Amino acid sequence: MWLLWCIVGVSSVLLICEAVVEYRQRGKNLSHSFVKQAIDTLPDGICYFAPSGAVKLCNLQMHRLFRSLAQSDMQSFEELQKSLEECDTKSGIIRLSDVRQTYLFPNGKAWRYSQTEITASDGVVYTEVIFSDVTELYEKNLKLKEQTIQLEKISRDLKVLSDNVSTMTKEKELLAAKTGLHDRMSAGIIAMRQILQQEQTTEETADAVSLFQKAVSAIKNDNEYPLERGELAEFMRDADTIGVKVELNGELPQQQEQYRVFLIAMRECLTNSVRHADATILKIDIQEDDNCFSIRITNNGKPPESKVTPKGGLLNLYNHITNLGGTMDIQSNPVFTLTVTVLKSKEGTE
């Protein structure tokens, strides 16, 4: 009986060992199948190539993408590279970017190609190729470009509107100056008629003659500065019209945005110097270096009674300057001084 039990026990142990070995072997066979099934479910295209270039492991998505590229089944790494190089001429697939290696397929999907080398545990180097679905990013990029075009159009419209506002402001100032000129001429003519009737010379006589001379001089300047000479000539003419001498040192920038901002600053200072300081001379110094332009504006009028805070026209000027990446500084004592610095545009610098 003991011998029988020993034989049964040994047989049982052998059967258990054989079952364990078979199970382990079956587990190994199933693991490869599981790996293949797992990568087939991935949305991206994945393929591994052996050192010889032959396909080692490839999922279904990669097979579909390659068939769209070459209208055939993929056999080697060289075939894939050749298909990518010739995709624009044969498959109708568009290469969106050479740097990012992005491709647009006929179904509207965008894929980004990447390849890396992977070293296995046994030292063999495999080439890993992945096609990542970047369709959502591509569509958002298209929308961003459309929005950029719309913003550029809005920016151009705002610029035209800003130029129109600037023109209307200049016309309003000129109209006010001409209205004041008309009033001074009327007063001067009336005073001259009274003087001629009274036939006497007094201090009022000298004032009336001076007023009449300024009016005549303004009319003369209006004829000497035609509109065709540009915005700077208009500014000089307007300054002469209201009786202000402009001392301009330096040249205005050739770059359009910087030129326009400097003219706005000059006109604002001209208006304020007459309105608040009773100035007769406006001094303008313009300088240029490698990176920026600067303008410094002062006048011979009375200094401000308190610190000048930007508002109205000065505040609008400040907004123009900051949009160009520049700075504006206002000094109230001992005399009013406006200093503006704006950066050169890249095109102008080049």
Side-chain angles (χ1 to χ4, degrees):
M1 290 296 295
W2 283 107
L3 179 61
L4 182 60
W5 279 109
C6 289
I7 293 174
V8 173
V10 171
S11 300
S12 300
V13 171
L14 291 175
L15 288 173
I16 292 173
C17 292
E18 184 178 357
V20 170
V21 171
E22 183 178 355
Y23 178 79
R24 288 182 177 179
Q25 187 67 28
R26 186 177 61 178
K28 290 183 178 179
N29 295 333
L30 289 176
S31 64
H32 294 290
S33 176
F34 286 154
V35 170
K36 182 65 170 64
Q37 291 177 7
I39 67 170
D40 282 342
T41 60
L42 295 176
D44 295 339
I46 301 177
C47 187
Y48 292 90
F49 296 93
S52 62
V55 177
K56 186 68 175 178
L57 180 62
C58 183
N59 72 344
L60 293 177
Q61 186 65 268
M62 180 62 77
H63 281 300
R64 296 190 193 101
L65 295 175
F66 184 80
R67 181 165 289 276
S68 297
L69 282 168
Q71 290 77 47
S72 63
D73 293 332
M74 183 167 51
Q75 302 296 330
S76 65
F77 181 58
E78 289 74 13
E79 287 184 358
L80 176 60
Q81 290 182 314
K82 184 178 179 181
S83 299
L84 291 175
E85 292 175 358
E86 300 175 353
C87 66
D88 290 335
T89 58
K90 291 185 177 181
S91 61
I93 296 174
I94 302 173
R95 183 185 290 106
L96 299 176
S97 173
D98 291 333
V99 177
R100 297 181 179 179
Q101 293 185 297
T102 307
Y103 301 86
L104 180 63
F105 281 66
N107 61 358
K109 283 187 169 291
W111 298 86
R112 180 172 297 171
Y113 173 84
S114 63
Q115 75 178 56
T116 55
E117 291 185 349
I118 297 178
T119 303
S121 58
D122 57 359
V124 179
V125 179
Y126 295 91
T127 301
E128 179 188 63
V129 171
I130 298 177
F131 271 103
S132 302
D133 188 355
V134 292
T135 305
E136 185 177 356
L137 292 176
Y138 170 70
E139 292 175 349
K140 289 183 177 180
N141 187 43
L142 290 180
K143 291 181 180 179
L144 181 61
K145 288 182 179 179
E146 293 178 359
Q147 292 175 356
T148 301
I149 294 174
Q150 293 177 357
L151 288 175
E152 289 176 352
K153 182 179 181 301
I154 294 173
S155 177
R156 290 193 297 268
D157 293 341
L158 288 176
K159 182 179 178 182
V160 172
L161 179 61
S162 177
D163 292 340
N164 292 338
V165 171
S166 177
T167 302
M168 292 176 62
T169 301
K170 290 188 294 184
E171 291 177 352
K172 182 179 178 181
E173 293 173 357
L174 184 58
L175 178 61
K178 289 185 176 181
T179 302
L181 172 63
H182 178 270
D183 294 340
R184 289 198 299 271
M185 284 187 63
S186 299
I189 292 173
I190 294 173
M192 290 292 292
R193 185 175 60 182
Q194 292 176 349
I195 291 169
L196 292 175
Q197 291 175 349
Q198 296 175 1
E199 297 183 355
Q200 60 180 0
T201 302
T202 62
E203 183 177 351
E204 289 79 7
T205 303
D207 293 338
V209 172
S210 175
L211 183 63
F212 197 74
Q213 287 177 341
K214 287 183 179 180
V216 173
S217 177
I219 296 174
K220 181 180 178 181
N221 290 328
D222 197 39
N223 294 328
E224 288 181 350
Y225 291 96
L227 292 175
E228 290 78 6
R229 295 187 58 183
E231 294 184 73
L232 179 59
E234 289 183 34
F235 169 77
M236 301 296 288
R237 180 197 61 190
D238 295 344
D240 288 338
T241 300
I242 60 179
V244 176
K245 178 182 178 182
V246 177
E247 296 180 357
L248 178 61
N249 298 318
E251 296 183 358
L252 287 171
Q254 297 297 321
Q255 299 176 20
Q256 183 178 1
E257 292 295 334
Q258 288 78 355
Y259 177 89
R260 188 167 64 92
V261 167
F262 277 16
L263 270 178
I264 294 174
M266 291 161 58
R267 283 195 171 275
E268 185 65 25
C269 288
L270 174 63
T271 303
N272 291 339
S273 65
V274 174
R275 182 182 302 169
H276 303 294
D278 297 327
T280 57
I281 298 176
L282 191 69
K283 298 180 180 180
I284 304 173
D285 295 315
I286 302 174
Q287 295 182 351
E288 176 184 0
D289 58 24
D290 294 336
N291 299 318
C292 62
F293 299 100
S294 63
I295 184 171
R296 183 175 181 271
I297 307 175
T298 60
N299 60 73
N300 67 336
K302 57 185 180 181
E305 297 179 356
S306 60
K307 184 178 179 180
V308 177
T309 302
K311 58 183 179 180
L314 286 178
L315 184 59
N316 293 332
L317 173 62
Y318 175 77
N319 293 332
H320 280 289
I321 294 169
T322 53
N323 288 337
L324 289 179
T327 60
M328 184 179 80
D329 179 68
I330 298 177
Q331 179 181 340
S332 302
N333 290 310
V335 294
F336 174 84
T337 304
L338 176 70
T339 304
V340 174
T341 301
V342 293
L343 298 175
K344 293 182 177 180
S345 63
K346 293 182 180 179
E347 293 81 1
T349 303
E350 291 172 359

